[in-house]
């Protein structure tokens, strides 16, 4: 049977286990970029922040032979990542199966990443940036994986990466890079812009947006929650839903009606991150509200779900979809502003940086990677376009490049 879209046959089969095709595409491309950064900076140690189940860390360690420390705030995911590492090591000890007929994958190294449960403290010095996970798990509290305020344990520098670092985690990583000589370079893919802080924070913790003095000085630079939330949507996927009259569009009206009910019951509850289910469009509104109201701390029994007002709101689905569509038309402009703010923040301090359209937006809407270094990036970025240097001229084809990535938005 044909491979799913964007699944790469050049990613070792053991590194594809437990990994969805979209994530395979992302870790393959980001791994290639980090390998270039490692070669250009001489750093073989990588710190993966917000590592989740460790898929990127596993590729960097087992696939590329780098020394990797993976930090994740969810202890459950840390345990899962360590289990996947053990499974891979066990498979490496067995007889190797037949390779890919056209281009056998590179052999793996038995060099597992180190996993730590911890959270990033954006205000702490580099050598003290780890906090215990929330909630704290069993065992000793997380310690800084770099062995103190300097670089790595041997005194060298490190690369820092975050694949879809959520909300304020992205600007926190950039601030650590800017003030920490121990970090040679950073490669960052942001996500969840609606979770960015925009108001003044406690001392030592500036807001997540804006970062740069250039954007902060612009009249009207403020971004509403709605604007930041819209910038996280997948424009290409949404266009397909509109053209096909997808029933999933019903979820927009459901959420709008639910928001009206929540505000009527408690005006203080606004823009809550509710997730009543991925198949909300397949439910009746009554079922949807029965799931969503408790997530907002409200008793469904005390909210009128079958009133004429609710019915009237549900009849306005076409207007809700039109409103959401108008928001989508501005999504790329909002995301571009957020990313350029981060780029300008780094350039204001004299760093070499670039926004690279690394992923195919049809598979990965957050496709722009912010790369920053203390040394010029020309060789790193040029290397991304020269597949022949890797001895693999068909790599980009197998990475699912059926469409060109979004260029410069």
């Amino acid at each position: 049977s044909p491979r799913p879209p964007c699944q790469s046959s050049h990613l070792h089969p053991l590194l594809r286990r437990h990994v969805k095709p979209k994530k395979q595409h992302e870790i393959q491309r980001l791994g290639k970029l980090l390998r270039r950064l490692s070669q250009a900076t001489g750093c073989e140690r990588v710190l993966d922040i917000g590592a989740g189940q460790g898929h990127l860390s596993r590729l960097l360690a087992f696939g590329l032979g780098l020394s990797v420390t993976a930090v994740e705030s969810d202890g459950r995911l840390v345990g899962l990542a360590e289990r996947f590492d053990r499974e891979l090591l066990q498979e490496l000890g067995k007889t190797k199966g037949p390779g890919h007929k056209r281009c056998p994958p590179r052999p793996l190294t038995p060099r597992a990443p180190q996993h730590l449960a911890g959270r990033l403290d954006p205000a702490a010095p580099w050598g003290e940036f780890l906090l215990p996970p929330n909630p704290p798990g069993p065992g000793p509290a997380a310690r800084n994986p770099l062995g103190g305020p300097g670089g790595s344990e041997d005194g060298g520098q490190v690369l820092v990466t975050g694949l879809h670092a959520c909300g304020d985690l992205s600007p926190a990583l950039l601030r650590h890079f800017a003030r920490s000589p121990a970090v040679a370079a950073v490669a960052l893919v942001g996500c969840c812009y609606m979770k960015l802080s925009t108001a003044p924070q406690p001392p030592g913790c500036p807001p997540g947006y804006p970062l740069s003095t250039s954007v902060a000085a612009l009249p009207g630079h403020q971004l509403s929650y709605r604007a930041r939330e819209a910038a996280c949507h997948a424009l290409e996927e949404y266009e397909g839903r509109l053209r096909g009259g997808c029933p999933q569009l019903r979820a927009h009206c459901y959420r709008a009606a639910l928001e009206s009910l929540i505000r009527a019951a408690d005006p203080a509850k606004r823009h809550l991150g509710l997730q009543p289910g991925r198949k909300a469009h397949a439910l009746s509104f009554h079922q949807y509200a029965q799931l969503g109201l408790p997530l907002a701390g409200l008793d469904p029994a005390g909210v009128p779900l079958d009133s004429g007002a609710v019915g009237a709101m549900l009849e306005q689905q076409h207007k809700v979809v039109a409103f959401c569509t108008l928001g989508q038309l501005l999504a790329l402009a909002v995301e571009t502003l957020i990313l350029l703010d981060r780029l300008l923040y780094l350039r204001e301090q004299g760093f070499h940086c670039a926004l690279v359209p690394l992923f195919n937006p049809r598979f990965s809407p957050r496709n722009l990677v912010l790369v920053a270094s203390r040394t010029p990036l020309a060789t790193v970025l040029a290397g991304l376009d020269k597949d022949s240097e890797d001895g693999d001229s068909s790599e980009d084809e197998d990475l699912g490049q059926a469409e060109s990535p979004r260029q410069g938005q």
Side-chain angles (χ1 to χ4, degrees):
S1 60
R3 290 183 288 112
C6 83
Q7 178 165 300
S8 172
S9 62
H10 293 276
L11 194 64
H12 195 286
L14 293 180
L15 295 174
R16 295 204 300 262
R17 288 189 175 184
H18 313 293
V19 188
K20 294 180 180 180
K22 171 183 178 291
K23 181 70 73 171
Q24 292 182 31
H25 171 71
E26 292 166 350
I27 65 174
Q28 174 79 358
R29 297 292 294 175
L30 186 54
K32 181 177 181 179
L33 172 60
L34 289 166
R35 183 176 73 242
R36 295 284 177 188
L37 278 174
S38 174
Q39 293 168 345
T41 61
C43 296
E44 294 190 355
R45 182 156 190 170
V46 181
L47 190 61
D48 181 9
I49 302 290
Q53 299 178 39
H55 300 314
L56 174 62
S57 294
R58 207 166 293 116
L59 167 67
L60 298 175
F62 289 107
L64 301 181
L66 298 172
S67 175
V68 182
T69 299
V71 178
E72 168 57 45
S73 64
D74 187 335
R76 181 187 62 85
L77 295 180
V78 173
L80 196 59
E82 291 176 332
R83 194 193 90 192
F84 291 160
D85 288 353
R86 291 193 297 270
E87 290 177 358
L88 195 153
L89 283 169
Q90 291 173 356
E91 290 296 327
L92 283 180
K94 299 178 181 179
T95 303
K96 296 182 180 179
H100 192 280
K101 293 182 180 180
R102 183 176 60 172
C103 181
R106 296 183 179 91
L108 302 184
T109 64
R111 189 175 191 178
Q114 176 189 8
H115 295 276
L116 293 176
R119 294 176 292 127
L120 193 74
D121 184 349
W126 173 250
E128 305 167 6
F129 75 92
L130 276 186
L131 293 171
N134 189 18
R143 299 177 59 188
N144 175 48
L146 302 181
S152 60
E153 294 175 353
D154 59 3
Q157 291 183 309
V158 296
L159 306 176
V160 172
T161 190
L163 178 54
H164 295 141
C166 181
D168 279 348
L169 180 56
S170 289
L173 285 174
L174 296 179
R175 289 194 185 96
H176 272 298
F177 163 71
R179 65 176 183 242
S180 307
V183 186
V186 61
L188 178 67
V189 186
C191 193
C192 300
Y193 303 128
M194 65 284 195
K195 295 183 181 180
L196 285 170
S197 59
T198 57
Q201 301 296 298
C205 296
Y209 172 88
L211 281 177
S212 68
T213 57
S214 301
V215 171
L218 291 175
H221 71 269
Q222 296 84 0
L223 293 174
S224 67
Y225 175 94
R226 175 73 183 96
R228 288 179 280 121
E229 190 273 338
C232 294
H233 288 202
L235 186 62
E236 290 78 9
E237 181 182 359
Y238 191 81
E239 179 185 1
R241 290 182 181 182
L242 284 176
R243 293 182 181 279
C246 180
Q248 290 177 320
L249 294 171
R250 186 181 301 122
H252 295 297
C253 190
Y254 278 6
R255 183 63 183 89
L258 184 65
E259 182 74 9
S260 296
L261 295 177
I262 291 172
R263 291 192 186 188
D266 186 348
K269 297 180 182 293
R270 295 168 55 91
H271 302 311
L272 300 177
L274 309 180
Q275 294 182 337
R278 290 185 176 274
K279 296 184 178 180
H281 62 280
L283 305 174
S284 68
F285 179 74
H286 188 278
Q287 294 171 323
Y288 175 85
Q290 290 283 338
L291 295 173
L293 288 170
L295 297 177
L298 298 173
D299 183 359
V303 179
L305 300 180
D306 300 312
S307 66
V310 170
M313 285 191 287
L314 296 178
E315 291 178 359
Q316 304 301 311
Q317 177 177 322
H318 61 292
K319 293 184 178 180
V320 174
V321 171
F323 177 79
C324 292
T325 302
L326 290 174
Q328 288 300 303
L329 293 176
L330 298 174
L332 294 182
V334 175
E335 182 178 22
T336 299
L337 176 58
I338 293 172
L339 296 179
L340 287 178
D341 172 56
R342 296 173 180 180
L343 185 80
L344 289 170
Y345 165 75
L346 296 170
R347 285 191 174 174
E348 287 171 354
Q349 301 178 67
F351 297 112
H352 302 270
C353 48
L355 282 168
V356 182
L358 197 64
F359 308 145
N360 189 321
R362 187 158 60 91
F363 310 133
S364 182
R366 307 281 73 74
N367 73 315
L368 290 172
V369 181
L370 178 57
V371 188
S373 175
R374 300 179 186 279
T375 56
L377 289 167
T379 57
V380 175
L381 302 183
L384 290 175
D385 299 325
K386 296 180 180 179
D387 300 324
S388 60
E389 289 183 12
D390 295 332
D392 183 7
S393 60
S394 60
E395 178 176 334
D396 280 342
E397 176 186 350
D398 283 300
L399 286 168
Q401 297 263 76
E403 298 176 3
S404 297
R406 203 180 287 143
Q407 298 285 341
Q409 301 197 354

